Amino acid sequence: MTNEFNRIGLSMSKITVLSPITNVKASVINYLKLQWVPCFAHSLQLAIKKTLNNAPASITTSIATCKTFVNKFNRSTKLYDELRKIQNQVEEEELLLINDVPTKWNSTYLLLFRLTQLKSSILELAKNRPDWIP
């Protein structure tokens, strides 16, 4: 492969490989003999996930409750319709809830942030339909 890079005028010292995939990492280190530089975003995601896993029970329980709440909405068009209706009544921007996705490093943050954005609509929904709130 080094010959191919040289043939097209690329220097091995200028090559950067970004991949969280283990076999790609092994190939870069063993076959290409390059130094591995991990992806910053992926490293950050792993650090955040580890921190959240070791957080106090009150935090992990709160996050789990938020995820359950959002998942309940994702399974019910009736709930989403009611949320949209309330958003219009309280003149709040019509936003959808965001799901937590393990492969997206910031999805837990986005889920929590969106819940804070929709706080007034969710509180109104809780007053009108307490059985719908986990």
Side-chain angles (χ1 to χ4, degrees):
M1 184 171 251
T2 304
N3 291 338
E4 288 300 311
F5 284 127
N6 290 335
R7 186 179 67 75
I8 60 173
L10 289 175
S11 168
M12 290 300 284
S13 64
K14 305 287 184 202
I15 302 296
T16 302
V17 179
L18 298 173
S19 175
I21 303 170
T22 305
N23 62 346
V24 172
K25 178 181 176 181
S27 295
V28 167
I29 293 170
N30 299 329
Y31 181 69
L32 297 177
K33 307 293 187 215
L34 295 174
Q35 182 179 3
W36 179 257
V37 179
C39 171
F40 176 76
H42 186 249
S43 298
L44 179 62
Q45 182 246 347
L46 293 174
I48 291 169
K49 184 175 284 227
K50 185 175 182 179
T51 302
L52 287 176
N53 288 340
N54 295 323
S58 59
I59 293 173
T60 56
T61 301
S62 296
I63 291 172
T65 301
C66 290
K67 289 178 183 182
T68 300
F69 178 78
V70 170
N71 286 335
K72 189 171 186 178
F73 272 82
N74 287 337
R75 289 189 307 270
S76 171
T77 55
K78 192 174 182 181
L79 272 174
Y80 255 122
D81 290 344
E82 189 70 21
L83 181 62
R84 282 190 199 99
K85 187 171 122 183
I86 290 172
Q87 285 174 330
N88 291 325
Q89 288 172 355
V90 298
E91 297 178 4
E92 194 174 71
E93 185 180 354
E94 200 172 294
L95 299 171
L96 298 175
L97 293 168
I98 297 175
N99 228 5
D100 186 37
V101 181
T103 56
K104 292 186 179 178
W105 73 271
N106 61 347
S107 64
T108 302
Y109 165 75
L110 292 173
L111 175 143
L112 297 172
F113 183 73
R114 181 55 56 88
L115 287 173
T116 61
Q117 287 179 300
L118 298 176
K119 181 180 176 180
S120 59
S121 294
I122 292 168
L123 290 174
E124 190 64 33
L125 179 63
K127 279 195 284 184
N128 296 344
R129 308 280 186 154
D131 55 313
W132 285 3
I133 308 298

